[in-house]
Amino acid sequence: MRTRPVQWAPAQPTTPDPDLPDRIDRLGELLSGGRTLALTGAGISTDSGIPDYRSPGTPARAPMTIDMFLSTAEFRRHYWARNHLGWRHMDSALPNAGHRALAALERRGALSGVITQNVDMLHLKAGNRAVLELHGSYGRVRCLRCDHQISRHHLADLLEPANADFVSRIRGRGAIEVAPDADVVVADTTDFTMIDCQVCGGILKPDIVYFGESVSKSVVTQGFSMVDDADALLVLGSSLTVMSGLRFVRHARRTGKPVFIVNRGHTRGDELATMKIDGPCSQVLTSLV
């Protein structure tokens, strides 16, 4: 069992394409007349104030692993304390211009759907309907024993009265650094009170796929089907570091679909791309619309 953190270092800074407007025009021409499937990563949500792991200039962070979460009750207490303090930052985030542009493209029939690696629900808030949440959603919590599910809002209603003193103590220190996984950076969490499943007493876990955990076969199968039904795949704001997203890029190329990548910095799929644009997702998508 891997209980030590997996450290993700930020990507090396790159210079945006100097001919960005021309490249966006060319991308629009290549996508015109077809139905495009979007594959989105954390880079599309940074303009909404949600930090990511890989953007140049971000601090090195350790993503949550499933082994860490399952290792001890104390570790889960530490996780839920951080999440309790930080999850509303993600809950209150609003779609940015990039999300709104994708929703507009779907309404026009130019976008067949969205596969997202993000758990922030911003595509749904923006109005996209054909959304596959590859890594789950921060808004749901499930029991690992009986699979009973509740909303994150309902869990908050249970946690808040039990942890009023803890919240008051931490917030009395001033501003808290927000982390990417709907949590915050806090070290001392020993006085936090956990809540177990009210149906069976089992362990509660966010309905999120942690690092080291596999995406369910049914979700992967649905993703492949969405790629097959589209004319092209447009990757937005993902370094494609993990296989859960890269597999769809590889599948698109194997089946003869063009792949277009928009991302700040290099990705693992650059060599497979029909066209790569180094630029901000919101700017590119707004120009496309």
Side-chain angles (χ1 to χ4, degrees):
M1 177 176 288
R2 181 194 294 130
T3 56
R4 289 193 298 175
V6 177
Q7 196 80 354
W8 281 8
Q12 292 298 313
T14 58
T15 303
D17 293 323
D19 57 344
L20 186 57
D22 292 337
R23 295 179 68 79
I24 295 174
D25 287 343
R26 178 59 178 155
L27 177 62
E29 293 172 359
L30 293 170
L31 294 177
S32 178
R35 283 169 51 81
T36 301
L37 173 68
L39 170 63
T40 66
I44 199 172
S45 294
T46 52
D47 284 350
S48 294
I50 299 176
D52 65 353
Y53 284 107
R54 294 283 297 163
S55 289
T58 58
R61 301 182 188 272
M64 171 65 63
T65 72
I66 186 61
D67 291 342
M68 291 164 62
F69 186 82
L70 296 177
S71 61
T72 66
E74 285 307 309
F75 191 93
R76 290 190 291 277
R77 180 193 309 278
H78 183 63
Y79 170 79
W80 277 117
R82 291 164 52 114
N83 181 272
H84 182 62
L85 292 167
W87 78 279
R88 289 191 187 278
H89 175 79
M90 183 171 286
D91 190 56
S92 63
L94 297 176
N96 60 53
H99 297 109
R100 295 193 297 270
L102 285 179
L105 289 171
E106 183 179 301
R107 288 193 297 270
R108 296 178 185 181
L111 188 78
S112 62
V114 177
I115 300 175
T116 184
Q117 296 173 289
N118 302 333
V119 300
D120 53 33
M121 300 177 66
L122 288 178
H123 290 298
L124 294 172
K125 289 182 180 180
N128 281 105
R129 292 293 174 259
V131 179
L132 179 64
E133 295 175 317
L134 195 60
H135 293 163
S137 166
Y138 81 90
R140 299 186 299 270
V141 178
R142 67 182 180 90
C143 174
L144 295 182
R145 180 188 295 170
C146 71
D147 206 38
H148 177 67
Q149 295 190 22
I150 60 174
S151 73
R152 185 62 185 82
H153 284 269
H154 179 57
L155 180 61
D157 291 339
L158 300 175
L159 289 172
E160 283 168 4
N163 290 284
D165 291 342
F166 167 78
V167 172
S168 177
R169 176 176 68 82
I170 297 299
R171 289 182 175 167
R173 300 174 180 176
I176 307 173
E177 180 186 353
V178 177
D181 292 326
D183 58 358
V184 297
V185 180
V186 173
D188 181 12
T189 59
T190 55
D191 56 335
F192 182 80
T193 300
M194 294 172 59
I195 298 291
D196 294 322
C197 176
Q198 294 188 304
V199 174
C200 72
I203 295 172
L204 293 179
K205 173 184 174 292
D207 194 15
I208 292 173
V209 178
Y210 287 152
F211 189 81
E213 193 175 7
S214 297
V215 178
S216 71
K217 291 183 179 179
S218 62
V219 171
V220 173
T221 298
Q222 185 178 349
F224 284 143
S225 178
M226 292 174 74
V227 175
D228 291 338
D229 289 342
D231 298 312
L233 179 64
L234 176 61
V235 180
L236 298 160
S238 175
S239 63
L240 300 172
T241 300
V242 294
M243 184 56 66
S244 63
L246 183 61
R247 74 180 82 195
F248 298 115
V249 173
R250 292 178 172 175
H251 181 71
R253 289 313 307 264
R254 280 196 303 268
T255 55
K257 315 267 183 177
V259 174
F260 305 98
I261 298 177
V262 178
N263 190 62
R264 288 305 319 278
H266 302 293
T267 83
R268 286 182 67 192
D270 286 354
E271 294 183 355
L272 300 173
T274 306
M275 181 181 184
K276 163 72 183 298
I277 293 179
D278 193 319
C281 292
S282 293
Q283 179 181 349
V284 173
L285 288 169
T286 301
S287 297
L288 284 178
V289 172

